[in-house]
């Protein structure tokens, strides 16, 4: 009995202790507002204008700013208390902040940034780490961590941050909100503590795309233009391949939304690594291009240059303060800022060249109305307190993606796509430098549909309808075709092999795999595949020609000629082999701005005629900018005659409509083939043919000697129509034993 009161007191004590602990936690959360704010303040907008004038565009909206923007009479912390102690209050307010207040918004406080706004994790040991409302046990992302959290926690309608190497994009992705990095130079940097002067941009966060857009119109002040839909949405397939998020929860959501809103013809796929490698030659001269003797990928090299510029320019601005004050810094920041940095004039100039070439490359890819789609971040937000985010591997993966917009200076928007495996998922859209208003308009158009697709994907059960073997084979073939277009020959062979396993009676699969083998120089399996294709389909002309090429490369010249002769016969031409001087391979690349024939679309295909020979490409549905990338091979005899290229629109219930034609004279190309090649270097231009009234050229056409071959790139302007061009390439194939040139 004596022990009972003791037990009661023990229970009461434990209960009180629990209540105190819980109340402290609640008090901390409420008091610190998710830890987002450093200082509360109020910058009030001017009075509303009297009717009938319109109210201010940002009326009734509240916003917060990262604590590196000048506020009159206020000392910014720049993420470190020593900075606040050693600097005087600002004499004026940043023009960016003033513009938003004058636009009707109320500024309610300043928010936490990483130490000296230098990291991408968002953790700050001096002011505390803001709590990520989306995943509280994970980092919020930096450097503008507090600004992102203030929006994610619904404490303000929008907020301002600084994006140097991802300071807005990363926390937007980690917190599941919208984040916009404008084109470099589009928004004033005045009244902001610099991090890296050639990379810094003023970015902003919001949950509502309409608010994000309204803020953009105030800050960017671009002239009004009629809203336009994108002409191309380009998926950077290679960037999505190594994510921890499956494609059906990332890039495929953008693809489905695009198809629903704009049609499939707008979509394009690209290997961004290869594109940058070919378009940014100065990357090869960067000091960080090799690691342990091995070449780095183009994106990793780009990331190295971005980090080098950030560190170099930060030290130029703040090295004196660092040396005098010697602030207590996080180990990761300290190791970078105190590391000895040898800077040569050559490296500085090379970095400038890379930036210039990178901007030109992205602008050329996207032009005025193109959008590039990439992941925002490669990995989910790490746990609080872990060193994962400062590891070399993590930062390499993250900065490879972030460097694209940072180095090119193009604009980028981060878009949340719900959650996968309990973590926020996002993608980013990039537009050309100066395309900020267009990007904000595109976001406004696509946002709701993207969220719908994300919801559908999240709610879809894992069980899917059974797909037939034939359908699966066709899917594998299409993947092979895409890999072939991307010049990933081995990958294409793998997909075609999968298609053959599912349906071994389709001649096209064998013929396509043979072509991929030819690209790799694997002539024996190419010859075997072509023979199998011909056994399955005696009229498969491509298989005859491909087998002829394989046999020629293996030294079986008679068999090669016989095989090609049968291919020519299958085309319906009654041509004597002894009169043939060789074969002309015409690559039909793409159509450009073709005319519309069916209300608001066309289903184009190309027919090429020379004499009695007639070949055609596949039909592409609902596309006035189709990409065929198909090879058509004609036999050539003397006297030379031009070939006629005609574009048709496929109709199901009536005769196919013409969409224009063009005649192409091959005489200059044949004459160029007679040039002696002993002393020619790769890239030598043999001749240039100019557009005249007597030809159908849309622009100058060059005949070039490259890799031991003569090629001619041509853009033909279609005749008898208002508009439309077709881009082609000519290449010659010698026939041993034929009459020859």
């Amino acid at each position: 009995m004596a022990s009972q009161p003791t037990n009661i007191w023990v229970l009461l004590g434990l209960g009180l202790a629990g209540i105190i602990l819980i109340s402290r936690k609640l008090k901390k959360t409420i008091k610190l507002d998710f830890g987002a704010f450093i200082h509360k303040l109020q910058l009030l907008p001017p009075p509303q204008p009297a009717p009938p004038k319109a109210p201010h565009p940002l009326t009734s909206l509240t916003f917060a700013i990262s604590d590196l923007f000048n506020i009159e009479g206020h000392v910014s912390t720049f993420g470190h208390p020593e900075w606040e102690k050693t600097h005087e209050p600002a004499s004026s307010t940043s023009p960016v902040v003033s513009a938003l207040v004058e636009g009707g918004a109320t500024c309610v406080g300043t928010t936490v940034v990483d130490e000296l706004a230098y990291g991408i994790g968002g953790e700050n040991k001096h002011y505390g780490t803001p709590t990520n409302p989306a995943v509280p046990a994970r980092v919020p992302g930096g450097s503008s961590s507090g600004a992102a959290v203030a929006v994610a926690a619904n404490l303000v309608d929008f907020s301002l941050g600084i994006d140097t190497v991802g300071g807005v994009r990363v926390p937007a992705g980690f917190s599941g909100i919208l984040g916009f990095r404008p084109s470099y130079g589009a928004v004033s940097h005045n009244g902001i503590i610099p991090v890296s002067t050639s990379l810094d941009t003023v970015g902003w966060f919001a949950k509502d795309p309409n608010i994000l857009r309204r803020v953009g119109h105030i800050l960017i002040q671009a002239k009004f233009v009629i809203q336009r839909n994108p002409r191309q949405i380009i998926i950077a397939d290679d960037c999505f391949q190594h994510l921890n998020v499956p494609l059906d929860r990332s890039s495929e959501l953008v693809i489905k939304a695009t198809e629903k809103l704009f049609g499939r013809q707008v979509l394009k796929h690209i290997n961004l690594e290869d594109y940058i490698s070919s378009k940014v030659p100065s990357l090869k001269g960067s000091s960080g291009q090799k690691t342990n003797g091995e070449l780095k990928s183009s994106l990793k090299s780009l990331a190295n240059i971005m980090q080098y510029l950030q560190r170099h320019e930060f030290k130029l601005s703040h090295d004196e303060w660092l040396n005098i004050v010697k602030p207590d810094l996080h180990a990761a920041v300290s190791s970078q800022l105190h590391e000895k940095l040898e800077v040569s004039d050559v490296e500085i100039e090379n970095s400038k060249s890379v930036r210039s070439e990178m901007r030109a490359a992205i602008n050329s890819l996207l032009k005025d109305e193109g959008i590039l789609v990439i992941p925002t971040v490669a990995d989910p937000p790490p746990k609080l307190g872990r060193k994962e985010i400062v590891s070399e591997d993590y930062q390499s993966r993250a900065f490879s993606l972030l460097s694209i917009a940072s180095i090119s200076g193009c604009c980028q928007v981060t878009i949340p796509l719900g959650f996968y495996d309990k973590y926020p998922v996002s993608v980013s859209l990039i537009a050309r430098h100066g395309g900020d208003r267009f990007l904000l308009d595109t976001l406004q158009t696509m946002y709701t549909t993207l969220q719908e697709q994300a919801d559908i994907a999240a709610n879809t059960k894992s069980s899917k309808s059974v797909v037939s073997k034939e359908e699966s084979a066709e899917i594998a073939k299409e993947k092979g075709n895409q890999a072939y277009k991307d010049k990933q020959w081995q990958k294409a062979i793998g997909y075609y092999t999968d298609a053959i396993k599912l349906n071994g009676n389709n001649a096209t699969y064998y013929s396509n795999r043979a072509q991929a083998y030819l690209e790799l120089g694997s002539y024996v399996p190419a010859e075997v595949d072509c023979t199998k294709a011909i056994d399955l389909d005696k009229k498969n002309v491509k298989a005859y020609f491909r087998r002829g090429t394989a046999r020629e490369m293996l030294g079986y010249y008679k068999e090669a000629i016989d095989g090609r002769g049968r291919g020519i016969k299958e085309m319906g031409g009654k041509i004597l082999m002894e009169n043939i001087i060789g074969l002309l391979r015409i690559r039909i690349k793409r159509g450009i701005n073709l005319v519309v024939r069916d209300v608001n679309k066309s289903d184009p295909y190309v027919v090429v005629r020379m004499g009695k020979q007639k070949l055609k490409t596949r039909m592409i549905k609902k596309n006035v900018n189709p990409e065929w990338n198909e090879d058509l091979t004609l036999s050539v005899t003397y006297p030379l005659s031009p070939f006629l290229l005609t574009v048709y629109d496929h109709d199901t219930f009536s005769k196919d409509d013409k969409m224009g034609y063009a005649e192409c004279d091959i005489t200059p190309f044949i004459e160029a083939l007679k040039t002696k090649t002993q002393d020619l270097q790769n890239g030598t231009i043999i001749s240039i043919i100019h557009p005249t009234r007597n030809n159908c050229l849309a622009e100058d056409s060059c005949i070039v000697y490259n890799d031991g071959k003569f090629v001619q790139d041509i853009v033909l302007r279609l005749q008898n129509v208002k508009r439309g061009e077709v881009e082609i390439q000519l290449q010659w194939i010698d026939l041993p034993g034929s009459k020859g040139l």
Side-chain angles (χ1 to χ4, degrees):
M1 293 293 292
S3 64
Q4 188 172 353
T6 305
N7 291 336
I8 292 171
W9 284 111
V10 170
L11 290 172
L12 284 171
L14 290 172
L16 285 170
I19 291 169
I20 291 168
L21 285 173
I22 292 170
S23 64
R24 281 180 179 175
K25 287 184 178 180
L26 287 172
K27 185 178 179 182
K28 182 179 180 182
T29 301
I30 294 167
K31 181 179 178 182
L32 299 181
D33 294 326
F34 287 83
F37 286 91
I38 289 181
H39 295 295
K40 295 291 183 70
L41 51 85
Q42 270 202 334
L43 298 180
L44 298 174
Q48 293 291 338
K53 290 185 177 180
H56 298 309
L58 302 180
T59 295
S60 77
L61 298 182
T62 58
F63 72 103
I65 58 173
S66 294
D67 203 24
L68 42 66
F69 290 83
N70 285 352
I71 301 289
E72 185 178 357
H74 173 80
V75 183
S76 298
T77 65
F78 200 25
H80 202 289
E82 291 297 331
W83 183 276
E84 186 176 18
K85 291 176 184 176
T86 54
H87 286 80
E88 296 296 321
S91 59
S92 61
T93 298
S94 165
V96 173
V97 177
S98 297
L100 295 172
V101 172
E102 289 166 10
T106 300
C107 180
V108 297
T110 61
T111 55
V112 176
V113 294
D114 278 5
E115 284 185 343
L116 310 181
Y118 205 83
I120 60 168
E123 295 179 285
N124 190 311
K125 67 179 181 180
H126 306 288
Y127 297 103
T129 300
T131 302
N132 185 341
V135 270
R138 303 271 166 164
V139 301
S143 59
S144 304
S145 54
V149 167
V151 170
N154 297 313
L155 304 175
V156 291
D157 297 299
F158 67 93
S159 60
L160 290 185
I162 189 89
D163 191 306
T164 304
V165 297
V168 167
R169 292 165 287 169
V170 172
F174 283 2
S175 303
I177 59 175
L178 294 163
F180 191 81
R181 174 195 163 99
S183 299
Y184 178 77
V187 179
S188 171
H189 292 184
N190 292 338
I192 300 165
I193 302 170
V195 178
S196 175
T197 52
S198 70
L199 301 175
D200 290 344
T201 57
V202 174
W204 53 98
F205 304 93
K207 278 190 170 181
D208 184 340
N210 183 48
I211 292 176
L212 198 81
R213 185 169 174 242
R214 286 158 63 190
V215 172
H217 289 177
I218 293 288
L219 295 183
I220 296 167
Q221 296 183 340
K223 63 180 181 180
F224 174 78
V225 291
I226 297 173
Q227 186 168 338
R228 302 153 294 163
N229 288 335
R231 293 183 62 185
Q232 278 195 330
I233 291 185
I234 303 168
I235 312 294
D237 287 331
D238 54 319
C239 294
F240 285 95
Q241 284 175 357
H242 306 296
L243 292 185
N244 291 316
V245 178
L247 297 181
D248 63 357
R249 300 298 300 276
S250 54
S251 60
E252 287 184 15
L253 300 182
V254 182
I255 291 170
K256 289 176 181 177
T258 300
E259 290 176 347
K260 185 174 181 180
L261 290 167
F262 312 120
R264 186 175 297 179
Q265 72 277 3
V266 173
L267 283 165
K268 181 180 177 182
H269 295 263
I270 192 175
N271 184 302
L272 192 61
E273 288 258 29
D274 291 348
Y275 178 80
I276 291 173
S277 182
S278 66
K279 296 292 184 180
V280 189
S282 295
L283 270 178
K284 296 172 184 175
S286 63
S287 59
Q289 175 67 5
K290 289 187 178 181
T291 301
N292 299 326
E294 293 185 3
L295 284 174
K296 287 188 174 181
S297 71
S298 56
L299 285 180
K300 285 185 178 179
S301 298
L302 207 64
N304 283 350
I305 289 174
M306 178 183 74
Q307 290 174 281
Y308 161 79
L309 283 172
Q310 180 194 22
R311 187 167 41 159
H312 170 61
E313 293 178 347
F314 186 95
K315 288 171 78 73
L316 283 178
S317 298
H318 306 303
D319 209 23
E320 183 180 356
W321 179 82
L322 288 170
N323 291 329
I324 294 172
V325 176
K326 294 181 172 47
D328 176 25
L329 297 173
H330 188 280
V333 177
S334 179
S335 64
Q336 291 199 51
L337 294 182
H338 290 132
E339 181 183 345
K340 192 173 182 181
L341 187 63
E342 298 292 340
V343 182
S344 69
D345 292 339
V346 173
E347 285 177 311
I348 295 295
E349 288 305 312
N350 188 69
S351 297
K352 290 179 181 178
S353 297
V354 169
R355 279 189 290 177
S356 176
E357 291 167 7
M358 186 65 186
R359 181 175 298 183
I362 299 298
N363 283 356
S364 174
L365 176 67
L366 302 180
K367 299 185 172 63
D368 288 336
E369 295 163 1
I371 295 290
L372 176 65
V373 184
I374 64 169
T376 305
V377 284
D379 300 285
K383 287 184 178 179
L384 288 164
R386 294 284 182 89
K387 294 182 179 180
E388 177 187 355
I389 201 164
V390 297
S391 70
E392 185 177 346
D393 180 62
Y394 190 98
Q395 295 212 348
S396 176
R397 285 164 58 81
F399 287 141
S400 291
L401 295 169
L402 297 166
S403 64
I404 297 166
S406 287
I407 295 294
S408 69
C410 296
C411 49
Q412 177 175 338
V413 63
T414 298
I415 307 173
L417 293 178
F419 287 74
Y420 175 75
D421 198 20
K422 300 180 181 179
Y423 307 121
V425 179
S426 70
V427 294
S428 277
L429 308 183
I430 295 176
R432 66 170 179 82
H433 182 265
D436 304 73
R437 185 183 280 267
F438 166 66
L439 183 57
L440 288 166
D441 289 346
T442 300
L443 169 67
Q444 181 86 355
T445 303
M446 295 187 69
Y447 183 77
T448 300
T449 306
L450 281 169
Q451 300 312 304
E452 289 172 355
Q453 293 299 326
D455 290 342
I456 291 169
N459 296 325
T460 300
K461 294 180 181 179
S462 57
S463 59
K464 296 182 180 179
S465 58
V466 178
V467 181
S468 70
K469 283 189 175 182
E470 289 77 10
E471 289 173 323
S472 297
E474 277 297 299
I475 292 169
K477 184 203 77 172
E478 290 301 322
K479 289 182 177 179
N481 291 349
Q482 185 59 53
Y484 182 87
K485 289 177 186 177
D486 293 338
K487 299 183 179 181
Q488 297 176 329
W489 319 124
Q490 199 64 56
K491 193 173 180 181
I493 289 168
Y495 283 128
Y496 293 138
T497 301
D498 291 342
I500 289 167
K501 287 178 181 177
L502 292 162
N503 181 8
N505 296 318
N506 190 310
T508 300
Y509 302 161
Y510 289 98
S511 179
N512 286 9
R513 188 170 70 172
Q515 182 61 36
Y517 276 130
L518 288 176
E519 297 287 357
L520 289 173
S522 302
Y523 303 116
V524 172
E527 198 273 345
V528 171
D529 271 357
C530 289
T531 300
K532 179 66 176 177
I534 292 167
D535 289 343
L536 291 169
D537 179 6
K538 300 296 184 187
K539 294 186 177 181
N540 192 316
V541 177
K542 289 181 179 179
Y544 283 109
F545 280 106
R546 289 168 182 172
R547 186 171 70 172
T549 300
R551 288 176 172 177
E552 177 187 332
M553 299 307 295
L554 291 168
Y556 306 144
Y557 298 123
K558 184 179 183 301
E559 292 86 347
I561 295 170
D562 289 345
R564 283 176 175 147
R566 268 184 279 178
I568 293 167
K569 185 177 180 181
E570 291 296 338
M571 287 190 289
K574 297 177 181 178
I575 303 169
L576 296 174
M577 287 298 295
E578 59 266 23
N579 289 334
I580 296 176
I581 62 173
L583 302 176
L584 180 69
R585 178 179 291 165
I586 307 169
R587 166 151 286 201
I588 310 296
K589 291 186 173 181
R590 64 190 182 112
I592 304 167
N593 198 23
L594 303 179
V595 294
V596 172
R597 284 288 185 250
D598 297 332
V599 186
N600 61 354
K601 65 179 180 65
S602 292
D603 304 321
Y605 64 93
V606 173
V607 173
V608 172
R609 293 181 176 87
M610 179 186 278
K612 293 184 178 181
Q613 300 174 78
K614 176 183 174 182
L615 300 172
K616 72 175 183 178
T617 66
R618 73 188 187 284
M619 178 265 291
I620 296 181
K621 290 185 177 182
K622 301 179 182 179
N623 199 330
V624 293
N625 291 284
E627 295 197 12
W628 289 286
N629 288 315
E630 286 193 43
D631 291 333
L632 306 180
T633 305
L634 299 168
S635 59
V636 180
T637 61
Y638 278 129
L640 298 174
S641 59
F643 65 82
L644 182 69
L645 181 149
T646 309
V647 184
Y648 289 91
D649 169 50
H650 173 75
D651 288 318
T652 305
F653 302 108
S654 60
K655 185 178 178 181
D656 292 350
D657 298 319
K658 284 188 178 182
M659 299 172 65
Y661 66 89
E663 190 175 81
C664 185
D665 182 12
I666 64 171
T667 303
F669 183 63
I670 300 299
E671 290 301 314
L673 297 175
K674 300 174 184 177
T675 306
K676 294 181 180 180
T677 61
Q678 303 95 294
D679 301 322
L680 294 182
Q681 296 181 344
N682 273 355
T684 301
I685 297 176
I686 306 302
S687 62
I688 302 175
I689 300 93
H690 303 290
T692 68
R693 291 184 178 181
N694 298 321
N695 62 38
C696 297
L697 298 183
E699 57 187 46
D700 287 349
S701 174
C702 296
I703 302 173
V704 179
Y705 179 74
N706 213 354
D707 294 330
K709 299 176 183 177
F710 291 90
V711 295
Q712 181 178 359
D713 289 305
I714 302 172
V715 179
L716 294 170
R717 179 175 287 114
L718 298 175
Q719 307 297 301
N720 203 31
V721 285
K722 291 182 178 179
R723 65 175 189 273
E725 297 170 356
V726 176
E727 184 179 338
I728 65 173
Q729 184 185 76
L730 305 185
Q731 186 176 324
W732 186 253
I733 301 172
D734 284 315
L735 272 177
S738 67
K739 187 175 181 180
L741 293 170

